[in-house]
Amino acid sequence: MICLGIESTAHTFGIGIVQNKTVIANEKKSYQPEKGGLHPRKTAEHHAEVCGEVLEKAINKSGIRIEEIDLIAFSQGPGLPPCLKIGAVFARTLAKKLGKPLIGVNHCVAHLEIGKLFTNAKDPVLLYASGANTQVIALESGKYRVFGETIDVGVGNMLDTFGRNKGLSFPAGPEIERLAKKGEKYVELPYTVKGMDLAFGGILTQAERVKEKMENVCHSLQETVFAMLIEVSERAMSHTQKKELILGGGVAANKRLNDMCKIMCEERGAKFYTVPKQYCVDNAAMIAWTGLKMHKSGVKTPDTRIIRNYRTDMVKITWK
Ligand code: ATP
Ligand code: FE2
C-alpha cells in the first residue's frame, strides 16, 4: 500500500511517500523569513507557491506513478491556520483527482509514530523538543497523553530568541552548543519546572541580563533547560513504568542533551533512542506513515476541516 502525506503546519511544506514500511520520498521546502518570527499569511503564500514543485520532486524521487497512490494523508493540526488550510486544500484536490481516500493526521502524533518506526521502540516516552514545541508524550489508556509541556515558548525558540538578542547566527541552537563547550563556570539561572510543566521565559530574561562570559552563559543555559527536560521525562517514565525514551525535534541535534538522556536512561535501566535528523524535524514522511497506519486500522476522516488546536490526546489510538 502506498500513502502520500502532506505537511504544512508551520514553516515547512512537505510531501512524503511511504510504501508499506519504507519511505520512498521525503521532500520539502521551508519558508525562512528574512528577520523576526513566522508571519502566518506570508508562510502560507510560500506554501501555495511551492506545493506543485514539491509534489513533482517527491513523485520523481519515489519512482512510482501518481496513479499508484492508494491514500492521501495530511496534517490536520495543530498549526498556523493559513498554512494548515493550504495543505488541506491541496490534499482534498489531490484525493479527488485521484479518487482516493483522504485521512487527517495529528502532527504531534505523527512525530511519535515516525520515531517508533525508525527506532523499533515498542512503547516509548517521547521527549519532543523542537523550536515551537516542547512536550513529553506517552501512550496511556488508548491515547497519547501529554505528561508535561512548556507553558510559554518551545525550548528551541527560547534558544533562538536568546541568540538573536545576543547577535548569534540563526538558528542559534548549534552556536549556543558550540559556545557552551568552552564554558567552564555555571551561573545560577531560574529552574522552572511547575508540576510537570516547563517555563522558559524567566530563564531567557535572566540569561540575557547576567554579566558573564558568553561561553559560560551558554553552558549554564544548556545545563539548566536540559536538566528541566530530563526531570520531566524521567518523571513521566517513572509514572508510566515505561522503559524506552525517544528524543525528537530539532533540539535533539544537541550532543549534550543526548548525553543527559543517555545517562538518565542508563540509571533507570531503560533504553534510549534517537531519530534520524530528517525525521526529527517537521517532515511529511511522518504524516504519510501515520496516515497509513490509521487507515489500516479502519480510521476515517469524514470532516477534513483543519483543527488549529488539535491536541495530542484528542486522537484515539486504534493501531499498534
Ligand atoms: P516544530 O513545528 O515541529 O516545532 P520547528 O521548526 O519549531 O518545528 P525544528 O525544525 O524541529 O523546530 O527545530 C529547530 C530548532 O532546533 C531551532 O530552534 C534550533 O535552534 C534548534 N536546534 C538545532 N540544532 C540545535 C542544537 N545543536 N542544539 C540546540 N538546539 C538546536
Ligand atoms: Fe513538528
Side-chain angles (χ1 to χ4, degrees), residues 7 9 107 111 128 130 133 281-282 286:
E7 161 60 30
T9 53
H107 175 93
H111 271 295
Y128 176 48
S130 69
N133 295 294
V281 296
D282 283 354
M286 70 182 191

